[in-house]
Structures are given as C-alpha cells and as structure tokens.
Amino acid sequence: MLAHAACYENDDKLQVRHYYSTAFTFNPHSLGFRDYKIIASRDQFLDGPAKRDDLLDVIFSSGLVRRDGVTRLYAGVSDAEAHWIDIPDPFLSPMPSTFDR
C-alpha cells in the first residue's frame, strides 16, 4: 500500500507539518502488515510553491507505476502541485502466503 506519515514541529498540530511518502505490505485476511518504510520526502522533488507556509514540507503519495524496470512515484507536493520522481521499487520482496504483525 502507498500512504503518508505526518509529524509536526514540537508535536503541535498548529506548527509546521512534515509529511512523508510511505509504503508497506498489507494482508487483508489477517489485517497484518510488514515492511513499513518511508520511500520519499519533499526535498527529493523539484522546488515549487506551497499553498501555505506550514505546508512547505508536505507530500501525499498518489500513485506508483512500474515500467521497464523503473518505479515512478507520483505525489501531491506542498498541497499545491503534482510531481513525480523515480525511486527504488519499495515492494521488491515477495509477500509470503501468511504473515502477522
């Protein structure tokens, strides 16, 4: 699954936000997950405008496309634009038939 993780300056929701693109493997039968990891951060994308100052360091995963050995991550950045970057495939390891967490 693609997702995003958020944290805030001084653990205060009214402060500057930091959102990261994340990925993990989810087992819908057991509701377990594994291999949770951050796969991208705002500084990996091109510079661009932000909707507000507290959204400068924010990305929202919006899609992942594998083509010809390249994995492209699409994301909304700074709540103002859509960008893409090429990353290592976060799902290269195969999912076992059963796992729990």
Side-chain angles (χ1 to χ4, degrees):
M1 296 191 82
L2 284 178
H4 67 273
C7 65
Y8 304 90
E9 295 284 324
N10 303 314
D11 286 329
D12 180 349
K13 285 183 168 182
L14 300 177
Q15 298 293 319
V16 174
R17 303 157 192 258
H18 304 281
Y19 284 31
Y20 303 93
S21 180
T22 62
F24 59 94
T25 303
F26 176 71
N27 183 327
H29 300 291
S30 69
L31 303 181
F33 68 95
R34 69 173 176 95
D35 299 332
Y36 182 86
K37 62 189 121 199
I38 293 175
I39 60 171
S41 58
R42 178 64 181 94
D43 61 352
Q44 292 175 261
F45 294 85
L46 295 174
D47 290 338
K51 187 184 271 185
R52 298 188 317 254
D53 287 344
D54 66 322
L55 299 172
L56 287 170
D57 193 29
V58 168
I59 61 172
F60 296 94
S61 304
S62 58
L64 190 73
V65 175
R66 297 178 184 117
R67 181 173 289 147
D68 301 324
V70 174
T71 303
R72 182 159 289 169
L73 172 68
Y74 293 88
V77 297
S78 302
D79 213 20
E81 297 183 318
H83 291 214
W84 57 265
I85 58 170
D86 294 334
I87 62 170
D89 190 328
F91 301 108
L92 276 182
S93 56
M95 184 172 94
S97 58
T98 61
F99 66 89
D100 293 301
R101 175 153 314 183

XYZ file of all heavy atoms in Angstrom:
814
model
N 0.838 -1.166 0.000
C 0.000 0.000 0.000
C 0.887 1.233 0.000
O 1.974 1.225 0.561
C -0.892 0.011 1.232
C -1.884 -1.130 1.280
S -3.112 -0.924 2.568
C -4.226 0.162 1.718
N 0.399 2.290 -0.605
C 1.028 3.608 -0.504
C 0.269 4.411 0.541
O -0.950 4.302 0.649
C 0.937 4.355 -1.823
C 1.866 3.922 -2.925
C 1.593 4.737 -4.184
C 3.303 4.064 -2.516
N 0.981 5.216 1.275
C 0.359 6.033 2.313
C 1.247 7.254 2.553
O 2.192 7.493 1.803
C 0.201 5.219 3.594
N 0.914 8.008 3.581
C 1.799 9.087 4.023
C 1.832 9.092 5.545
O 0.905 8.637 6.197
C 1.392 10.448 3.451
C 0.083 10.966 3.949
N -1.111 10.637 3.348
C -0.235 11.772 4.988
C -2.102 11.229 3.987
N -1.600 11.920 4.989
N 2.941 9.554 6.074
C 3.118 9.687 7.520
C 3.320 11.163 7.822
O 3.984 11.870 7.059
C 4.326 8.886 7.986
N 2.753 11.610 8.919
C 2.836 13.025 9.280
C 3.470 13.205 10.648
O 3.307 12.380 11.539
C 1.439 13.639 9.290
N 4.207 14.286 10.782
C 4.657 14.731 12.096
C 4.666 16.257 12.067
O 4.596 16.871 11.014
C 6.020 14.150 12.467
S 7.376 14.691 11.436
N 4.707 16.836 13.239
C 4.591 18.282 13.373
C 5.740 18.814 14.227
O 6.211 18.133 15.141
C 3.260 18.654 14.035
C 2.074 18.098 13.291
C 1.558 16.845 13.605
C 1.489 18.811 12.255
C 0.481 16.329 12.907
C 0.412 18.303 11.559
C -0.091 17.065 11.884
O -1.155 16.542 11.194
N 6.159 20.031 13.932
C 7.179 20.682 14.762
C 6.687 20.682 16.202
O 5.525 21.021 16.477
C 7.393 22.134 14.315
C 7.966 22.290 12.934
C 9.448 21.994 12.853
O 10.176 22.309 13.810
O 9.867 21.437 11.819
N 7.548 20.281 17.125
C 7.243 20.263 18.557
C 5.980 19.472 18.894
O 5.309 19.758 19.888
C 7.121 21.693 19.096
C 8.366 22.493 18.840
O 9.479 22.027 19.065
N 8.201 23.698 18.323
N 5.618 18.486 18.052
C 4.405 17.683 18.255
C 3.153 18.539 18.423
O 2.219 18.178 19.140
C 4.551 16.749 19.463
C 5.459 15.577 19.162
O 5.506 15.147 17.989
O 6.109 15.088 20.092
N 3.118 19.678 17.749
C 1.998 20.610 17.848
C 1.362 20.742 16.463
O 1.990 21.232 15.529
C 2.505 21.965 18.347
C 1.413 23.003 18.489
O 0.273 22.780 18.019
O 1.711 24.069 19.061
N 0.094 20.323 16.331
C -0.600 20.363 15.035
C -0.706 21.762 14.444
O -0.975 21.915 13.262
C -2.000 19.780 15.169
C -2.039 18.304 15.279
C -3.490 17.893 15.328
C -3.695 16.445 15.159
N -5.096 16.074 15.157
N -0.520 22.769 15.246
C -0.591 24.140 14.748
C 0.747 24.629 14.199
O 0.837 25.734 13.685
C -1.091 25.074 15.854
C -2.477 24.739 16.407
C -2.828 25.683 17.549
C -3.521 24.793 15.313
N 1.780 23.808 14.328
C 3.118 24.164 13.844
C 3.327 23.626 12.423
O 2.420 23.069 11.819
C 4.172 23.591 14.793
C 4.101 24.137 16.199
C 4.458 25.613 16.263
O 5.384 26.052 15.605
N 3.714 26.365 17.042
N 4.531 23.768 11.919
C 4.884 23.314 10.570
C 4.706 21.797 10.468
O 5.068 21.049 11.368
C 6.339 23.714 10.227
C 6.773 23.132 8.898
C 6.482 25.225 10.219
N 4.155 21.365 9.341
C 3.888 19.950 9.091
C 5.011 19.334 8.275
O 5.583 19.992 7.405
C 2.586 19.799 8.302
C 1.413 20.430 8.984
C 0.315 20.755 7.968
N -0.676 21.606 8.583
C -1.844 21.174 9.016
N -2.171 19.914 8.880
N -2.681 21.988 9.592
N 5.263 18.068 8.499
C 6.208 17.284 7.708
C 5.494 15.989 7.338
O 5.166 15.192 8.224
C 7.481 16.976 8.500
C 8.161 18.195 9.022
N 8.956 19.006 8.236
C 8.146 18.748 10.258
C 9.414 19.996 8.967
N 8.931 19.875 10.204
N 5.226 15.802 6.052
C 4.562 14.577 5.584
C 5.521 13.847 4.662
O 6.161 14.463 3.803
C 3.303 14.902 4.788
C 2.097 15.334 5.584
C 2.208 16.028 6.773
C 0.826 15.074 5.109
C 1.087 16.439 7.475
C -0.302 15.482 5.789
C -0.163 16.167 6.974
O -1.273 16.584 7.654
N 5.568 12.526 4.799
C 6.459 11.674 4.014
C 5.645 10.612 3.290
O 4.630 10.142 3.800
C 7.469 10.993 4.941
C 8.264 11.985 5.748
C 7.841 12.365 7.028
C 9.402 12.579 5.234
C 8.547 13.294 7.764
C 10.117 13.517 5.977
C 9.676 13.865 7.232
O 10.379 14.797 7.955
N 6.116 10.222 2.120
C 5.503 9.125 1.396
C 5.989 7.819 2.014
O 7.180 7.653 2.276
C 5.904 9.199 -0.077
O 5.330 8.147 -0.789
N 5.059 6.897 2.271
C 5.401 5.622 2.883
C 4.796 4.481 2.077
O 3.886 4.675 1.268
C 4.900 5.540 4.341
O 3.473 5.629 4.347
C 5.479 6.645 5.193
N 5.315 3.290 2.327
C 4.782 2.090 1.692
C 4.873 0.933 2.667
O 5.739 0.915 3.543
C 5.567 1.771 0.421
N 3.976 -0.016 2.518
C 4.025 -1.235 3.321
C 3.197 -2.307 2.629
O 2.399 -2.007 1.736
C 3.540 -1.003 4.757
C 2.123 -0.483 4.862
C 1.061 -1.353 5.046
C 1.862 0.876 4.803
C -0.239 -0.877 5.159
C 0.578 1.372 4.919
C -0.484 0.481 5.094
N 3.403 -3.541 3.028
C 2.626 -4.660 2.515
C 1.553 -4.991 3.544
O 1.851 -5.141 4.720
C 3.536 -5.885 2.277
O 4.583 -5.497 1.378
C 2.756 -7.026 1.675
N 0.316 -5.074 3.073
C -0.833 -5.302 3.947
C -1.476 -6.639 3.609
O -1.674 -6.972 2.440
C -1.845 -4.171 3.746
C -3.111 -4.336 4.529
C -3.119 -4.189 5.899
C -4.306 -4.614 3.883
C -4.296 -4.333 6.629
C -5.479 -4.752 4.600
C -5.474 -4.610 5.973
N -1.807 -7.427 4.635
C -2.505 -8.691 4.461
C -3.959 -8.488 4.873
O -4.255 -8.348 6.065
C -1.850 -9.774 5.317
C -2.489 -11.127 5.125
O -3.679 -11.244 4.890
N -1.678 -12.166 5.241
N -4.897 -8.440 3.913
C -6.293 -8.162 4.266
C -6.964 -9.289 5.050
O -7.969 -9.054 5.711
C -6.970 -7.960 2.904
C -6.103 -8.677 1.928
C -4.698 -8.600 2.470
N -6.415 -10.492 5.000
C -7.021 -11.605 5.734
C -6.721 -11.524 7.231
O -7.604 -11.731 8.065
C -6.560 -12.942 5.155
C -6.928 -13.094 3.714
N -8.226 -13.246 3.279
C -6.165 -13.061 2.597
C -8.252 -13.325 1.971
N -7.008 -13.211 1.524
N -5.460 -11.219 7.561
C -5.091 -11.144 8.982
C -5.073 -9.713 9.510
O -4.924 -9.500 10.702
C -3.698 -11.747 9.188
O -2.710 -10.909 8.598
N -5.210 -8.745 8.595
C -5.081 -7.320 8.909
C -3.667 -6.987 9.384
O -3.442 -5.961 10.011
C -6.123 -6.854 9.924
C -7.587 -7.097 9.533
C -8.513 -6.575 10.624
C -7.907 -6.472 8.190
N -2.708 -7.846 9.082
C -1.310 -7.612 9.436
C -0.597 -6.797 8.364
O -1.084 -6.654 7.241
N 0.545 -6.269 8.726
C 1.349 -5.526 7.763
C 2.813 -5.818 8.022
O 3.194 -6.303 9.084
C 1.066 -4.029 7.842
C 1.540 -3.393 9.118
C 2.779 -2.783 9.173
C 0.753 -3.410 10.261
C 3.234 -2.196 10.348
C 1.193 -2.830 11.434
C 2.440 -2.224 11.484
N 3.648 -5.499 7.021
C 5.089 -5.662 7.180
C 5.806 -4.678 6.269
O 5.206 -4.099 5.363
C 5.528 -7.092 6.872
C 5.418 -7.475 5.412
C 6.028 -8.856 5.179
N 5.846 -9.264 3.810
C 6.749 -9.085 2.839
N 7.897 -8.521 3.096
N 6.503 -9.474 1.608
N 7.075 -4.516 6.510
C 7.962 -3.707 5.648
C 7.517 -2.250 5.537
O 7.662 -1.636 4.482
C 8.096 -4.326 4.256
C 8.686 -5.716 4.292
O 9.464 -6.004 5.228
O 8.361 -6.523 3.404
N 6.993 -1.674 6.618
C 6.623 -0.254 6.611
C 7.896 0.577 6.469
O 8.868 0.377 7.194
C 5.904 0.104 7.915
C 5.445 1.536 7.960
C 4.220 1.893 7.423
C 6.234 2.526 8.516
C 3.790 3.204 7.454
C 5.816 3.841 8.552
C 4.585 4.171 8.014
O 4.169 5.472 8.039
N 7.906 1.514 5.517
C 9.092 2.341 5.306
C 8.730 3.667 4.667
O 7.741 3.778 3.948
C 10.107 1.606 4.448
C 9.611 1.274 3.050
C 10.558 0.351 2.316
C 9.792 -0.888 1.951
N 10.466 -2.049 1.641
N 9.541 4.677 4.955
C 9.452 5.961 4.256
C 10.147 5.779 2.920
O 11.282 5.302 2.858
C 10.108 7.085 5.067
C 9.301 7.342 6.343
C 10.226 8.363 4.230
C 9.917 8.349 7.291
N 9.460 6.147 1.825
C 10.034 5.970 0.491
C 10.370 7.288 -0.200
O 11.084 7.283 -1.197
C 9.133 5.101 -0.406
C 7.749 5.730 -0.592
C 9.012 3.700 0.174
C 6.883 5.031 -1.627
N 9.873 8.417 0.322
C 10.209 9.704 -0.293
C 9.892 10.845 0.672
O 9.016 10.730 1.527
C 9.452 9.910 -1.598
N 10.617 11.936 0.491
C 10.383 13.154 1.267
C 10.357 14.349 0.314
O 10.782 14.251 -0.844
C 11.463 13.342 2.336
O 12.735 13.384 1.743
N 9.852 15.457 0.786
C 9.642 16.637 -0.067
C 10.916 17.099 -0.753
O 10.881 17.539 -1.908
C 9.037 17.785 0.770
C 8.818 19.087 0.012
C 7.798 18.906 -1.100
N 7.567 20.101 -1.867
C 8.202 20.399 -3.016
N 9.150 19.620 -3.485
N 7.901 21.505 -3.679
N 12.056 16.991 -0.085
C 13.303 17.506 -0.671
C 13.794 16.694 -1.869
O 14.711 17.115 -2.566
C 14.396 17.604 0.391
C 14.755 16.273 1.028
O 14.073 15.255 0.769
O 15.718 16.253 1.812
N 13.158 15.565 -2.180
C 13.523 14.786 -3.358
C 12.827 15.288 -4.620
O 13.172 14.885 -5.720
C 13.178 13.308 -3.140
C 14.034 12.656 -2.082
C 13.583 11.247 -1.809
O 12.871 11.000 -0.846
N 13.973 10.327 -2.671
N 11.838 16.143 -4.474
C 11.071 16.675 -5.600
C 11.577 18.066 -5.976
O 12.271 18.712 -5.195
C 9.585 16.748 -5.231
C 8.947 15.406 -5.008
C 9.020 14.789 -3.768
C 8.285 14.749 -6.033
C 8.442 13.547 -3.547
C 7.701 13.510 -5.823
C 7.786 12.908 -4.586
N 11.187 18.530 -7.157
C 11.560 19.875 -7.586
C 10.950 20.918 -6.661
O 9.898 20.698 -6.056
C 11.071 20.119 -9.020
C 11.696 19.255 -10.107
C 11.012 19.514 -11.446
C 13.190 19.523 -10.208
N 11.608 22.055 -6.549
C 11.055 23.169 -5.780
C 9.763 23.642 -6.430
O 9.572 23.501 -7.638
C 12.045 24.334 -5.725
C 13.252 24.034 -4.862
O 13.163 23.155 -3.992
O 14.301 24.679 -5.067
N 8.903 24.212 -5.639
C 7.648 24.737 -6.156
C 6.909 25.482 -5.072
O 7.344 25.512 -3.916
N 5.785 26.081 -5.428
C 5.017 26.856 -4.454
C 4.325 25.960 -3.437
O 4.142 24.766 -3.662
C 3.980 27.573 -5.325
C 3.784 26.667 -6.496
C 5.139 26.047 -6.748
N 3.957 26.559 -2.321
C 3.169 25.878 -1.299
C 1.876 26.648 -1.092
O 1.854 27.876 -1.221
C 3.942 25.798 0.014
N 0.824 25.927 -0.777
C -0.458 26.587 -0.518
C -0.360 27.517 0.683
O -0.920 28.609 0.680
C -1.539 25.543 -0.290
C -2.929 26.130 -0.170
C -3.964 25.069 0.156
C -4.513 24.482 -1.101
N -5.611 23.524 -0.810
N 0.386 27.068 1.717
C 0.637 27.875 2.909
C 2.038 27.563 3.398
O 2.611 26.527 3.080
C -0.359 27.529 4.031
C -1.802 27.773 3.727
C -2.673 27.574 4.980
N -2.333 26.417 5.771
C -3.052 25.294 5.828
N -4.165 25.167 5.140
N -2.668 24.289 6.597
N 2.587 28.436 4.229
C 3.945 28.235 4.741
C 4.100 26.944 5.544
O 5.153 26.304 5.500
C 4.381 29.422 5.607
C 4.672 30.666 4.777
O 4.833 30.540 3.545
O 4.746 31.752 5.378
N 3.060 26.531 6.260
C 3.181 25.316 7.065
C 3.096 24.039 6.224
O 3.233 22.939 6.743
C 2.127 25.285 8.179
C 0.711 25.186 7.645
O 0.403 25.809 6.614
O -0.095 24.473 8.267
N 2.904 24.182 4.908
C 2.798 23.026 4.015
C 4.020 22.876 3.105
O 3.999 22.067 2.173
C 1.533 23.143 3.159
C 0.220 23.190 3.935
C -0.935 23.514 3.001
C -0.013 21.891 4.667
N 5.079 23.605 3.364
C 6.281 23.532 2.517
C 6.868 22.130 2.449
O 7.365 21.706 1.406
C 7.356 24.498 3.037
C 7.118 25.976 2.799
C 8.122 26.809 3.585
C 7.210 26.286 1.320
N 6.821 21.378 3.538
C 7.477 20.074 3.623
C 6.456 18.932 3.647
O 6.542 18.013 4.453
C 8.362 20.025 4.873
C 9.309 18.839 4.878
O 9.699 18.384 3.783
O 9.642 18.359 5.964
N 5.484 18.987 2.715
C 4.393 18.026 2.692
C 4.322 17.331 1.336
O 4.380 17.993 0.302
C 3.049 18.744 2.985
C 1.861 17.865 2.693
C 3.014 19.237 4.414
N 4.219 15.992 1.351
C 3.897 15.246 0.132
C 2.827 14.206 0.450
O 2.754 13.678 1.561
C 5.122 14.562 -0.518
C 5.765 13.546 0.409
C 6.110 15.581 -1.001
C 6.840 12.721 -0.273
N 1.966 13.960 -0.535
C 0.926 12.952 -0.450
C 1.124 11.974 -1.603
O 1.040 12.367 -2.766
C -0.466 13.585 -0.587
C -0.833 14.526 0.515
C -0.616 15.886 0.381
C -1.419 14.047 1.674
C -0.972 16.757 1.393
C -1.768 14.913 2.691
C -1.546 16.263 2.554
N 1.379 10.723 -1.297
C 1.507 9.704 -2.347
C 0.206 9.637 -3.135
O -0.875 9.614 -2.559
C 1.765 8.330 -1.741
O 2.897 8.339 -0.921
N 0.318 9.593 -4.469
C -0.902 9.486 -5.271
C -0.855 8.330 -6.260
O -1.880 7.969 -6.811
C -1.180 10.801 -6.004
O -0.105 11.152 -6.832
N 0.296 7.758 -6.500
C 0.359 6.610 -7.396
C 1.772 6.100 -7.562
O 2.743 6.819 -7.325
N 1.865 4.842 -7.981
C 3.156 4.203 -8.215
C 3.015 3.407 -9.505
O 2.095 2.592 -9.635
C 3.490 3.276 -7.049
C 4.881 2.700 -6.980
C 5.881 3.781 -6.578
C 4.933 1.569 -5.974
N 3.922 3.656 -10.463
C 3.872 2.961 -11.744
C 5.219 2.309 -11.999
O 6.259 2.956 -11.882
C 3.531 3.940 -12.899
C 3.592 3.244 -14.245
C 2.165 4.576 -12.667
N 5.164 1.023 -12.339
C 6.381 0.283 -12.705
C 6.367 0.092 -14.218
O 5.405 -0.454 -14.760
C 6.402 -1.086 -12.038
C 6.447 -1.037 -10.546
C 6.403 -2.480 -10.034
N 6.339 -2.528 -8.597
C 5.321 -3.032 -7.924
N 4.279 -3.501 -8.544
N 5.355 -3.055 -6.611
N 7.456 0.513 -14.866
C 7.546 0.345 -16.312
C 9.000 0.219 -16.718
O 9.813 1.072 -16.371
C 6.901 1.533 -17.028
C 6.942 1.391 -18.549
C 6.184 2.453 -19.271
N 4.753 2.218 -19.056
C 3.863 3.177 -18.976
N 4.222 4.431 -19.086
N 2.606 2.899 -18.779
N 9.322 -0.843 -17.437
C 10.664 -1.061 -17.982
C 11.744 -0.957 -16.912
O 12.782 -0.323 -17.115
C 10.945 -0.083 -19.128
C 9.947 -0.215 -20.270
O 9.523 -1.350 -20.561
O 9.598 0.812 -20.871
N 11.505 -1.531 -15.743
C 12.499 -1.540 -14.678
C 12.596 -0.259 -13.875
O 13.443 -0.125 -13.005
N 11.719 0.704 -14.147
C 11.712 1.983 -13.427
C 10.432 2.062 -12.597
O 9.359 1.696 -13.061
C 11.774 3.178 -14.412
C 11.618 4.500 -13.684
C 13.055 3.146 -15.207
N 10.573 2.523 -11.357
C 9.409 2.722 -10.493
C 9.220 4.217 -10.295
O 10.104 4.900 -9.785
C 9.615 2.027 -9.135
O 9.864 0.641 -9.374
C 8.397 2.184 -8.257
N 8.083 4.717 -10.733
C 7.804 6.159 -10.659
C 6.736 6.411 -9.600
O 5.656 5.836 -9.629
C 7.340 6.654 -12.020
C 7.086 8.151 -12.047
C 7.130 8.695 -13.441
N 8.517 8.664 -13.903
C 8.884 8.882 -15.166
N 7.973 9.139 -16.083
N 10.148 8.853 -15.517
N 7.077 7.286 -8.648
C 6.151 7.696 -7.594
C 5.549 9.041 -7.973
O 6.277 10.001 -8.253
C 6.893 7.827 -6.258
C 6.098 8.433 -5.111
C 4.966 7.501 -4.674
C 7.021 8.764 -3.938
N 4.236 9.095 -8.002
C 3.512 10.348 -8.230
C 3.028 10.857 -6.874
O 2.591 10.075 -6.033
C 2.326 10.129 -9.160
C 2.736 9.755 -10.558
C 2.947 8.432 -10.907
C 2.938 10.735 -11.519
C 3.345 8.086 -12.188
C 3.331 10.394 -12.806
C 3.530 9.070 -13.132
O 3.926 8.739 -14.401
N 3.102 12.176 -6.670
C 2.716 12.734 -5.371
C 2.235 14.169 -5.514
O 2.699 14.908 -6.389
C 3.904 12.685 -4.402
N 1.337 14.531 -4.613
C 0.994 15.931 -4.447
C 2.041 16.546 -3.535
O 2.428 15.931 -2.532
N 2.541 17.726 -3.900
C 3.601 18.361 -3.108
C 3.151 19.732 -2.614
O 2.546 20.511 -3.347
C 4.928 18.469 -3.911
C 5.457 17.090 -4.249
C 4.778 19.284 -5.157
N 3.427 19.967 -1.354
C 3.143 21.252 -0.699
C 1.692 21.689 -0.861
O 1.381 22.867 -0.806
C 4.097 22.325 -1.220
O 5.433 21.937 -0.988
N 0.805 20.719 -1.085
C -0.630 20.961 -1.253
C -0.921 21.962 -2.372
O -1.908 22.684 -2.335
C -1.247 21.429 0.067
C -2.684 20.941 0.228
O -3.065 19.979 -0.455
O -3.420 21.534 1.036
N 0.003 22.015 -3.381
C -0.168 22.997 -4.454
C 0.070 22.433 -5.853
O -0.449 22.971 -6.822
C 0.773 24.186 -4.225
N 0.882 21.381 -5.986
C 1.244 20.860 -7.300
C 1.327 19.334 -7.257
O 1.371 18.743 -6.177
C 2.619 21.384 -7.737
C 2.698 22.873 -7.920
C 4.063 23.315 -8.423
O 5.087 22.800 -7.936
O 4.094 24.175 -9.314
N 1.389 18.728 -8.439
C 1.639 17.289 -8.568
C 3.006 17.101 -9.228
O 3.325 17.788 -10.200
C 0.553 16.638 -9.400
N 3.817 16.202 -8.682
C 5.155 15.919 -9.205
C 5.343 14.411 -9.277
O 4.537 13.645 -8.759
C 6.235 16.480 -8.275
C 6.326 17.958 -8.236
N 7.514 18.607 -8.070
C 5.395 18.937 -8.312
C 7.327 19.920 -8.050
N 6.038 20.139 -8.184
N 6.453 13.993 -9.869
C 6.851 12.592 -9.852
C 8.358 12.496 -9.724
O 9.082 13.414 -10.098
C 6.364 11.841 -11.090
C 6.823 12.412 -12.399
C 6.152 13.292 -13.192
C 8.068 12.153 -13.064
N 6.901 13.598 -14.302
C 8.088 12.912 -14.250
C 9.180 11.365 -12.760
C 9.157 12.882 -15.133
C 10.241 11.349 -13.651
C 10.206 12.105 -14.817
N 8.800 11.360 -9.155
C 10.222 11.023 -9.076
C 10.362 9.521 -9.314
O 9.419 8.755 -9.093
C 10.866 11.393 -7.723
C 10.149 10.702 -6.564
C 10.934 12.895 -7.526
C 10.863 10.830 -5.219
N 11.531 9.121 -9.769
C 11.845 7.704 -9.901
C 12.542 7.246 -8.624
O 13.446 7.927 -8.130
C 12.729 7.458 -11.121
C 11.997 7.753 -12.426
O 10.751 7.660 -12.442
O 12.655 8.077 -13.422
N 12.083 6.117 -8.075
C 12.605 5.598 -6.812
C 12.869 4.098 -6.953
O 12.340 3.458 -7.870
C 11.615 5.832 -5.648
C 10.283 5.093 -5.897
C 11.377 7.325 -5.421
C 9.348 5.058 -4.717
N 13.633 3.522 -6.023
C 13.737 2.060 -5.986
C 12.357 1.470 -5.655
O 11.594 2.048 -4.882
C 14.722 1.787 -4.845
C 15.460 3.063 -4.649
C 14.513 4.165 -5.044
N 12.027 0.344 -6.242
C 10.728 -0.284 -6.008
C 10.605 -0.690 -4.536
O 11.371 -1.526 -4.056
C 10.575 -1.509 -6.902
C 9.165 -2.059 -6.897
O 8.480 -1.965 -5.857
O 8.751 -2.588 -7.930
N 9.650 -0.116 -3.801
C 9.528 -0.435 -2.372
C 8.924 -1.815 -2.103
O 8.907 -2.274 -0.974
C 8.610 0.667 -1.842
C 7.803 1.087 -3.004
C 8.694 0.912 -4.206
N 8.442 -2.487 -3.144
C 7.766 -3.765 -2.964
C 8.506 -4.926 -3.631
O 7.902 -5.914 -4.017
C 6.345 -3.692 -3.526
C 5.515 -2.627 -2.883
C 5.194 -1.470 -3.575
C 5.064 -2.762 -1.588
C 4.432 -0.477 -2.991
C 4.298 -1.780 -0.988
C 3.983 -0.632 -1.690
N 9.815 -4.820 -3.747
C 10.561 -5.872 -4.431
C 10.504 -7.220 -3.727
O 10.440 -8.251 -4.371
C 12.025 -5.471 -4.610
C 12.319 -4.619 -5.821
C 13.804 -4.325 -5.928
C 11.834 -5.282 -7.105
N 10.519 -7.229 -2.396
C 10.482 -8.516 -1.706
C 9.061 -9.099 -1.815
O 8.084 -8.408 -1.598
C 10.889 -8.349 -0.243
O 10.073 -7.399 0.383
N 8.970 -10.400 -2.166
C 7.646 -11.001 -2.335
C 6.921 -11.160 -1.008
O 7.542 -11.374 0.028
C 7.956 -12.361 -2.954
C 9.350 -12.667 -2.526
C 10.052 -11.330 -2.397
N 5.608 -11.052 -1.030
C 4.798 -11.239 0.165
C 4.631 -12.735 0.421
O 4.215 -13.467 -0.476
C 3.435 -10.581 -0.006
C 2.560 -10.657 1.231
S 1.062 -9.693 1.088
C -0.065 -10.930 0.505
N 4.951 -13.213 1.602
C 4.725 -14.636 1.905
C 3.233 -14.936 1.940
O 2.404 -14.033 2.030
C 5.363 -14.806 3.277
C 5.404 -13.457 3.856
C 5.495 -12.479 2.712
N 2.879 -16.209 1.893
C 1.456 -16.582 1.856
C 0.743 -16.170 3.149
O -0.429 -15.863 3.127
C 1.307 -18.066 1.600
O 1.979 -18.796 2.606
N 1.452 -16.174 4.282
C 0.847 -15.711 5.537
C 1.878 -14.926 6.327
O 3.069 -15.215 6.279
C 0.361 -16.879 6.422
O 1.476 -17.674 6.758
C -0.701 -17.707 5.713
N 1.444 -13.938 7.002
C 2.278 -13.198 7.937
C 1.382 -12.440 8.888
O 0.245 -12.151 8.573
C 3.284 -12.279 7.228
C 2.639 -11.154 6.457
C 2.376 -9.930 7.067
C 2.305 -11.313 5.123
C 1.797 -8.898 6.364
C 1.718 -10.270 4.420
C 1.465 -9.077 5.027
N 1.899 -12.143 10.039
C 1.147 -11.426 11.057
C 2.006 -10.355 11.686
O 3.205 -10.480 11.735
C 0.657 -12.367 12.176
C -0.367 -13.341 11.663
O -1.406 -12.873 11.164
O -0.127 -14.561 11.761
N 1.383 -9.327 12.161
C 2.051 -8.319 12.965
C 1.033 -7.787 13.942
O -0.059 -7.518 13.654
C 2.585 -7.192 12.112
C 3.155 -6.123 12.985
C 4.197 -5.294 12.408
N 5.187 -6.090 11.732
C 6.267 -5.569 11.183
N 6.447 -4.298 11.235
N 7.152 -6.277 10.572
